[in-house]
Amino acid sequence: MKIIDVGITLQKVTDAGASSTNSIMIGDSGDAQAPLHISGSNKLITTTSLLLEDSDQNDLFKILNSGVLYTAYPSQLGTMVISDDDISTTLGTGSVIIGLGATSGSTFTDVTGSHTIVGYKAAADMNGTSGDRFLTAIGYRAGEASSNGNSTYVGAYAGSGSIATSNVNRQERNAFFGAYSGQEYVGAWSVGIGTTAGYKSAGDGNVFVGVQAGALMGASDSLSSHNVVIGYSAGVSATSTHTDGVTHNTIIGDQSVYDAAIGNGNTILGSH
């Protein structure tokens, strides 16, 4: 193998290839079809075609003949990043970060974590805490400004918080699927499925299924825990007649308990 001094002009590079002022071929004697054209040594899918290492011979970037791409950083082995921003050095092992501004301004404190973050500003400005090991945020601004990992957010703005009010300091271990689902949600161990399901709600251990299901539920008293809410706009803006908030209710039906005050431990079936 010939070592090429980067100070030598391209015209002088002739190791098994042709060169010109604007292009270079490596590994073949044909004409370059791009500014940098690299031809593999064989057709075996396990053979490395392109390799970039640091000064300690740690692989940073590698492409096999199979087309598989590997990217790694010594302290973040297996992490793949495609972004326009500097990425946190504590993303852990096996993370995938894709998107303009994804994780920008975020703080991840657990280097043993493994995250999947895809989308414009997904998980950006996130305030991480110890134990943030498994965050999945997929979608435009999904998980942005949320304050805890170990959650799953899928959809535009899903699980995103509010930077101005910082009112998501208890958000953890939630799963929200759908645009705006769980946006500015304050609480933990809750599930929301549907556009705006659980939007700006508060509480722990809730299940919201349906478009707008549970939106603004318990927002006035900052508590709506252990409820099951199913149906279009079911439980929207529901409040409690008790001091401990809207808790232990099962609400099923189109717009059931919409903007209404209820007690605790109820089972309510039917629309409106």
Side-chain angles (χ1 to χ4, degrees), residues 187-206:
W189 309 294
S190 296
V191 176
I193 302 174
T195 301
T196 63
Y199 173 77
K200 289 189 177 182
S201 295
D204 299 333
N206 292 305

Side-chain angles (χ1 to χ4, degrees), residues 223-245:
L223 186 64
S224 61
S225 297
H226 309 293
N227 299 291
V228 176
V229 182
I230 302 174
Y232 170 75
S233 293
V236 171
S237 299
T239 57
S240 176
T241 56
H242 295 267
T243 56
D244 54 353

Side-chain angles (χ1 to χ4, degrees), residues 15-254:
D15 185 27
S19 64
S20 69
T21 354
N22 299 314
S23 62
I24 180 172
M25 167 70 82
I26 298 176
D28 196 281
S29 58
D31 293 331
Q33 302 299 309
L36 177 60
H37 187 159
I38 301 174
S39 179
S41 59
N42 56 55
K43 295 182 180 180
L44 297 176
I45 62 173
T46 56
T47 298
T48 300
S49 296
L50 178 63
L51 176 64
L52 176 65
E53 297 179 332
D54 63 15
S55 58
D56 291 329
Q57 285 73 55
N58 293 305
D59 293 355
L60 301 180
F61 182 91
K62 180 168 68 173
I63 299 178
L64 303 185
N65 280 349
S66 62
V68 174
L69 165 68
Y70 294 91
T71 63
Y73 187 79
S75 64
Q76 298 168 219
L77 296 179
T79 294
M80 178 178 179
V81 176
I82 302 176
S83 179
D84 67 331
D85 220 318
D86 290 336
I87 301 299
S88 168
T89 58
T90 55
L91 284 172
T93 300
S95 293
V96 175
I97 315 297
I98 302 175
L100 299 179
T103 73
S104 61
S106 293
T107 302
F108 291 83
T109 59
D110 195 326
V111 296
T112 64
S114 181
H115 311 289
T116 301
I117 300 170
V118 180
Y120 174 78
K121 289 207 170 182
D125 299 310
M126 180 180 170
N127 229 350
T129 60
S130 178
D132 293 346
R133 299 185 60 194
F134 306 106
L135 172 67
T136 299
I138 301 175
Y140 181 85
R141 294 183 182 264
E144 182 182 19
S146 60
S147 66
N148 200 290
N150 301 319
S151 294
T152 299
Y153 308 125
V154 179
Y157 293 102
S160 62
S162 170
I163 298 174
T165 58
S166 300
N167 62 351
V168 289
N169 58 356
R170 290 176 56 246
Q171 188 174 25
E172 61 179 339
R173 293 171 176 82
N174 295 310
F176 288 105
F177 303 88
Y180 301 97
S181 177
Q183 185 178 28
E184 296 187 37
Y185 188 86
V186 181
W189 309 294
S190 296
V191 176
I193 302 174
T195 301
T196 63
Y199 173 77
K200 289 189 177 182
S201 295
D204 299 333
N206 292 305
V207 176
F208 307 116
V209 180
V211 174
Q212 293 186 347
L216 302 172
M217 186 174 185
S220 61
D221 50 25
S222 298
L223 186 64
S224 61
S225 297
H226 309 293
N227 299 291
V228 176
V229 182
I230 302 174
Y232 170 75
S233 293
V236 171
S237 299
T239 57
S240 176
T241 56
H242 295 267
T243 56
D244 54 353
V246 183
T247 61
H248 298 95
N249 293 293
T250 299
I251 302 170
I252 301 176
D254 176 39

